[in-house]
Short mmCIF file of all heavy atoms in Angstrom, two decimals:
data_model
loop_
_atom_site.label_atom_id
_atom_site.label_comp_id
_atom_site.label_asym_id
_atom_site.label_seq_id
_atom_site.Cartn_x
_atom_site.Cartn_y
_atom_site.Cartn_z
N GLY D 25 21.88 2.02 -35.16
CA GLY D 25 21.88 1.09 -36.28
C GLY D 25 22.83 -0.08 -36.15
O GLY D 25 23.16 -0.74 -37.14
N ILE D 26 23.27 -0.39 -34.93
CA ILE D 26 24.20 -1.50 -34.69
C ILE D 26 23.43 -2.63 -34.02
O ILE D 26 22.68 -2.41 -33.07
CB ILE D 26 25.37 -1.03 -33.81
CG1 ILE D 26 26.14 0.09 -34.53
CG2 ILE D 26 26.29 -2.19 -33.45
CD1 ILE D 26 27.12 0.83 -33.66
N GLY D 27 23.64 -3.85 -34.50
CA GLY D 27 22.93 -5.01 -33.98
C GLY D 27 23.32 -5.39 -32.57
O GLY D 27 24.28 -4.85 -32.01
N PRO D 28 22.59 -6.35 -31.98
CA PRO D 28 22.86 -6.76 -30.60
C PRO D 28 24.23 -7.41 -30.46
O PRO D 28 24.80 -7.94 -31.41
CB PRO D 28 21.75 -7.77 -30.30
CG PRO D 28 21.15 -8.15 -31.60
CD PRO D 28 21.49 -7.07 -32.58
N GLY D 29 24.75 -7.35 -29.24
CA GLY D 29 26.05 -7.92 -28.94
C GLY D 29 26.04 -9.43 -28.98
O GLY D 29 25.02 -10.07 -28.71
N LYS D 30 27.19 -9.99 -29.31
CA LYS D 30 27.38 -11.45 -29.36
C LYS D 30 28.49 -11.84 -28.39
O LYS D 30 29.55 -11.20 -28.35
CB LYS D 30 27.79 -11.89 -30.77
CG LYS D 30 26.86 -11.43 -31.87
CD LYS D 30 25.66 -12.32 -31.95
CE LYS D 30 24.86 -11.93 -33.19
NZ LYS D 30 23.48 -11.96 -33.02
N ALA D 31 28.26 -12.90 -27.63
CA ALA D 31 29.24 -13.37 -26.65
C ALA D 31 30.28 -14.27 -27.31
O ALA D 31 29.95 -15.05 -28.21
CB ALA D 31 28.54 -14.13 -25.52
N ASP D 32 31.53 -14.15 -26.85
CA ASP D 32 32.57 -15.07 -27.31
C ASP D 32 32.72 -16.19 -26.29
O ASP D 32 31.97 -16.27 -25.31
CB ASP D 32 33.89 -14.34 -27.60
CG ASP D 32 34.62 -13.87 -26.35
OD1 ASP D 32 34.15 -14.10 -25.21
OD2 ASP D 32 35.70 -13.27 -26.50
N GLU D 33 33.71 -17.05 -26.49
CA GLU D 33 33.90 -18.22 -25.61
C GLU D 33 34.28 -17.84 -24.18
O GLU D 33 34.12 -18.63 -23.26
CB GLU D 33 34.95 -19.17 -26.21
CG GLU D 33 36.36 -18.61 -26.28
CD GLU D 33 36.61 -17.65 -27.43
OE1 GLU D 33 35.75 -17.50 -28.32
OE2 GLU D 33 37.69 -17.03 -27.45
N LYS D 34 34.77 -16.62 -23.96
CA LYS D 34 35.13 -16.17 -22.62
C LYS D 34 34.00 -15.38 -21.95
O LYS D 34 34.15 -14.88 -20.85
CB LYS D 34 36.38 -15.30 -22.67
CG LYS D 34 37.62 -16.07 -23.08
CD LYS D 34 38.84 -15.17 -23.06
CE LYS D 34 40.07 -15.97 -23.44
NZ LYS D 34 41.27 -15.12 -23.47
N GLY D 35 32.85 -15.24 -22.64
CA GLY D 35 31.72 -14.51 -22.08
C GLY D 35 31.74 -13.02 -22.35
O GLY D 35 30.85 -12.30 -21.91
N ARG D 36 32.76 -12.54 -23.04
CA ARG D 36 32.81 -11.12 -23.40
C ARG D 36 31.75 -10.85 -24.47
O ARG D 36 31.48 -11.70 -25.31
CB ARG D 36 34.20 -10.75 -23.93
CG ARG D 36 35.29 -11.01 -22.91
CD ARG D 36 36.67 -10.79 -23.49
NE ARG D 36 36.89 -11.75 -24.57
CZ ARG D 36 38.08 -11.94 -25.16
NH1 ARG D 36 39.12 -11.23 -24.79
NH2 ARG D 36 38.20 -12.82 -26.12
N ILE D 37 31.17 -9.66 -24.44
CA ILE D 37 30.12 -9.29 -25.40
C ILE D 37 30.72 -8.30 -26.40
O ILE D 37 31.27 -7.27 -26.00
CB ILE D 37 28.91 -8.64 -24.69
CG1 ILE D 37 28.42 -9.48 -23.51
CG2 ILE D 37 27.81 -8.35 -25.69
CD1 ILE D 37 27.88 -10.83 -23.86
N PHE D 38 30.60 -8.62 -27.70
CA PHE D 38 31.16 -7.78 -28.75
C PHE D 38 30.06 -7.20 -29.63
O PHE D 38 29.11 -7.89 -29.99
CB PHE D 38 32.12 -8.59 -29.64
CG PHE D 38 33.45 -8.84 -28.99
CD1 PHE D 38 33.64 -9.95 -28.17
CD2 PHE D 38 34.51 -7.98 -29.20
CE1 PHE D 38 34.86 -10.19 -27.57
CE2 PHE D 38 35.74 -8.21 -28.61
CZ PHE D 38 35.92 -9.32 -27.79
N TYR D 39 30.24 -5.92 -29.98
CA TYR D 39 29.39 -5.21 -30.93
C TYR D 39 30.29 -4.86 -32.11
O TYR D 39 31.35 -4.24 -31.92
CB TYR D 39 28.81 -3.94 -30.30
CG TYR D 39 27.91 -4.28 -29.13
CD1 TYR D 39 28.43 -4.47 -27.86
CD2 TYR D 39 26.55 -4.43 -29.32
CE1 TYR D 39 27.61 -4.81 -26.79
CE2 TYR D 39 25.72 -4.77 -28.26
CZ TYR D 39 26.27 -4.96 -27.01
OH TYR D 39 25.45 -5.30 -25.96
N ILE D 40 29.88 -5.26 -33.29
CA ILE D 40 30.73 -5.11 -34.47
C ILE D 40 30.02 -4.21 -35.49
O ILE D 40 28.86 -4.43 -35.81
CB ILE D 40 31.04 -6.49 -35.08
CG1 ILE D 40 31.76 -7.35 -34.03
CG2 ILE D 40 31.88 -6.35 -36.35
CD1 ILE D 40 31.89 -8.81 -34.40
N SER D 41 30.77 -3.21 -35.96
CA SER D 41 30.26 -2.33 -37.00
C SER D 41 31.35 -2.16 -38.04
O SER D 41 32.50 -2.54 -37.80
CB SER D 41 29.87 -0.97 -36.41
OG SER D 41 31.00 -0.16 -36.23
N PRO D 42 31.04 -1.59 -39.18
CA PRO D 42 32.07 -1.37 -40.21
C PRO D 42 33.21 -0.47 -39.73
O PRO D 42 34.31 -0.53 -40.27
CB PRO D 42 31.31 -0.71 -41.36
CG PRO D 42 29.89 -1.12 -41.17
CD PRO D 42 29.70 -1.23 -39.68
N SER D 43 32.96 0.36 -38.71
CA SER D 43 34.00 1.29 -38.27
C SER D 43 34.73 0.87 -37.00
O SER D 43 35.57 1.60 -36.51
CB SER D 43 33.39 2.68 -38.08
OG SER D 43 32.38 2.64 -37.10
N GLY D 44 34.44 -0.30 -36.46
CA GLY D 44 35.16 -0.75 -35.27
C GLY D 44 34.37 -1.73 -34.44
O GLY D 44 33.26 -2.12 -34.78
N ARG D 45 34.97 -2.08 -33.33
CA ARG D 45 34.37 -3.02 -32.39
C ARG D 45 34.35 -2.41 -30.99
O ARG D 45 35.26 -1.70 -30.61
CB ARG D 45 35.16 -4.33 -32.35
CG ARG D 45 35.09 -5.07 -33.64
CD ARG D 45 36.00 -6.28 -33.65
NE ARG D 45 35.93 -6.89 -34.97
CZ ARG D 45 35.66 -8.16 -35.17
NH1 ARG D 45 35.47 -8.97 -34.16
NH2 ARG D 45 35.60 -8.63 -36.39
N PHE D 46 33.30 -2.76 -30.26
CA PHE D 46 33.15 -2.34 -28.88
C PHE D 46 32.83 -3.59 -28.08
O PHE D 46 32.07 -4.45 -28.54
CB PHE D 46 32.01 -1.32 -28.74
CG PHE D 46 31.83 -0.83 -27.34
CD1 PHE D 46 32.60 0.22 -26.85
CD2 PHE D 46 30.90 -1.41 -26.51
CE1 PHE D 46 32.44 0.67 -25.56
CE2 PHE D 46 30.72 -0.98 -25.20
CZ PHE D 46 31.50 0.08 -24.73
N ALA D 47 33.42 -3.71 -26.89
CA ALA D 47 33.20 -4.92 -26.10
C ALA D 47 33.03 -4.58 -24.63
O ALA D 47 33.55 -3.58 -24.14
CB ALA D 47 34.37 -5.88 -26.27
N ILE D 48 32.28 -5.45 -23.93
CA ILE D 48 32.16 -5.39 -22.48
C ILE D 48 32.62 -6.73 -21.92
O ILE D 48 32.41 -7.78 -22.53
CB ILE D 48 30.73 -5.04 -22.03
CG1 ILE D 48 29.69 -5.98 -22.68
CG2 ILE D 48 30.40 -3.60 -22.33
CD1 ILE D 48 28.25 -5.74 -22.23
N THR D 49 33.26 -6.69 -20.77
CA THR D 49 33.81 -7.90 -20.18
C THR D 49 33.87 -7.77 -18.66
O THR D 49 34.01 -6.66 -18.13
CB THR D 49 35.23 -8.19 -20.72
OG1 THR D 49 35.68 -9.44 -20.20
CG2 THR D 49 36.22 -7.11 -20.33
N ARG D 50 33.79 -8.89 -17.99
CA ARG D 50 34.17 -8.91 -16.58
C ARG D 50 35.70 -8.84 -16.57
O ARG D 50 36.34 -9.46 -17.41
CB ARG D 50 33.71 -10.20 -15.92
CG ARG D 50 32.22 -10.25 -15.66
CD ARG D 50 31.83 -11.51 -14.87
NE ARG D 50 30.40 -11.64 -14.84
CZ ARG D 50 29.68 -12.30 -15.75
NH1 ARG D 50 30.26 -12.94 -16.73
NH2 ARG D 50 28.36 -12.34 -15.65
N PRO D 51 36.29 -8.09 -15.65
CA PRO D 51 37.74 -8.02 -15.63
C PRO D 51 38.36 -9.42 -15.51
O PRO D 51 37.94 -10.23 -14.69
CB PRO D 51 38.05 -7.17 -14.40
CG PRO D 51 36.84 -6.29 -14.27
CD PRO D 51 35.68 -7.18 -14.67
N LEU D 52 39.35 -9.66 -16.36
CA LEU D 52 39.97 -10.99 -16.41
C LEU D 52 40.79 -11.30 -15.16
O LEU D 52 41.04 -12.46 -14.86
CB LEU D 52 40.84 -11.12 -17.66
CG LEU D 52 40.08 -10.99 -18.98
CD1 LEU D 52 41.05 -11.11 -20.15
CD2 LEU D 52 38.99 -12.04 -19.09
N ASN D 53 41.18 -10.27 -14.40
CA ASN D 53 41.96 -10.50 -13.18
C ASN D 53 41.09 -10.83 -11.98
O ASN D 53 41.59 -11.03 -10.88
CB ASN D 53 42.86 -9.30 -12.88
CG ASN D 53 42.08 -8.05 -12.53
OD1 ASN D 53 40.85 -8.04 -12.46
ND2 ASN D 53 42.81 -6.96 -12.34
N GLY D 54 39.76 -10.86 -12.17
CA GLY D 54 38.84 -11.21 -11.09
C GLY D 54 38.50 -10.07 -10.16
O GLY D 54 37.67 -10.24 -9.26
N GLU D 55 39.12 -8.93 -10.32
CA GLU D 55 38.82 -7.75 -9.49
C GLU D 55 37.55 -7.08 -10.00
O GLU D 55 37.14 -7.29 -11.14
CB GLU D 55 39.99 -6.76 -9.56
CG GLU D 55 41.30 -7.30 -9.00
CD GLU D 55 41.24 -7.53 -7.50
OE1 GLU D 55 40.61 -6.72 -6.80
OE2 GLU D 55 41.82 -8.53 -7.03
N PRO D 56 36.91 -6.23 -9.18
CA PRO D 56 35.72 -5.50 -9.65
C PRO D 56 36.08 -4.55 -10.79
O PRO D 56 37.20 -4.04 -10.86
CB PRO D 56 35.28 -4.71 -8.41
CG PRO D 56 35.94 -5.36 -7.25
CD PRO D 56 37.21 -5.98 -7.78
N SER D 57 35.13 -4.31 -11.66
CA SER D 57 35.35 -3.35 -12.74
C SER D 57 35.38 -1.94 -12.16
O SER D 57 34.86 -1.69 -11.07
CB SER D 57 34.27 -3.47 -13.81
OG SER D 57 33.03 -3.03 -13.31
N SER D 58 36.00 -1.03 -12.89
CA SER D 58 36.00 0.38 -12.50
C SER D 58 36.04 1.22 -13.77
O SER D 58 36.40 0.74 -14.84
CB SER D 58 37.20 0.70 -11.61
OG SER D 58 38.40 0.48 -12.31
N TRP D 59 35.66 2.48 -13.65
CA TRP D 59 35.65 3.38 -14.80
C TRP D 59 36.72 4.43 -14.62
O TRP D 59 37.13 4.74 -13.51
CB TRP D 59 34.28 4.00 -15.01
CG TRP D 59 33.66 4.56 -13.76
CD1 TRP D 59 32.88 3.88 -12.87
CD2 TRP D 59 33.81 5.88 -13.24
NE1 TRP D 59 32.52 4.71 -11.84
CE2 TRP D 59 33.08 5.95 -12.04
CE3 TRP D 59 34.47 7.01 -13.66
CZ2 TRP D 59 33.00 7.09 -11.27
CZ3 TRP D 59 34.39 8.16 -12.89
CH2 TRP D 59 33.66 8.19 -11.71
N GLY D 60 37.17 4.98 -15.72
CA GLY D 60 38.23 5.98 -15.70
C GLY D 60 37.68 7.38 -15.53
O GLY D 60 36.92 7.85 -16.38
N ASN D 61 38.04 8.04 -14.46
CA ASN D 61 37.61 9.42 -14.24
C ASN D 61 38.31 10.31 -15.26
O ASN D 61 39.53 10.29 -15.37
CB ASN D 61 37.93 9.85 -12.82
CG ASN D 61 37.29 11.17 -12.46
OD1 ASN D 61 36.34 11.59 -13.11
ND2 ASN D 61 37.80 11.81 -11.44
N GLY D 62 37.55 11.06 -16.03
CA GLY D 62 38.09 11.90 -17.09
C GLY D 62 38.06 11.23 -18.45
O GLY D 62 38.36 11.85 -19.46
N SER D 63 37.67 9.97 -18.50
CA SER D 63 37.60 9.23 -19.76
C SER D 63 36.20 9.34 -20.35
O SER D 63 35.21 9.34 -19.61
CB SER D 63 37.91 7.75 -19.54
OG SER D 63 39.20 7.60 -19.02
N THR D 64 36.12 9.41 -21.67
CA THR D 64 34.84 9.39 -22.38
C THR D 64 35.01 8.55 -23.63
O THR D 64 36.02 8.66 -24.33
CB THR D 64 34.40 10.80 -22.81
OG1 THR D 64 34.31 11.63 -21.65
CG2 THR D 64 33.06 10.77 -23.52
#
């Protein structure tokens, strides 16, 4: 029930709901993205 993401001026994509925000971004340091092992 959450609407599509909206990009900000830096190209990050934000999803906004009454209970919080979720975002995706290219890493700002220019390095490849990575995921946290053990994170959920």
Side-chain angles (χ1 to χ4, degrees):
I26 300 168
K30 306 280 188 219
D32 72 0
E33 66 281 352
K34 293 182 179 178
R36 301 174 297 190
I37 310 296
F38 284 87
Y39 297 85
I40 301 169
S41 80
S43 60
R45 294 174 183 233
F46 181 84
I48 52 177
T49 185
R50 286 186 190 90
L52 298 179
N53 66 3
E55 297 292 323
S57 69
S58 62
W59 48 271
N61 190 19
S63 300
T64 302

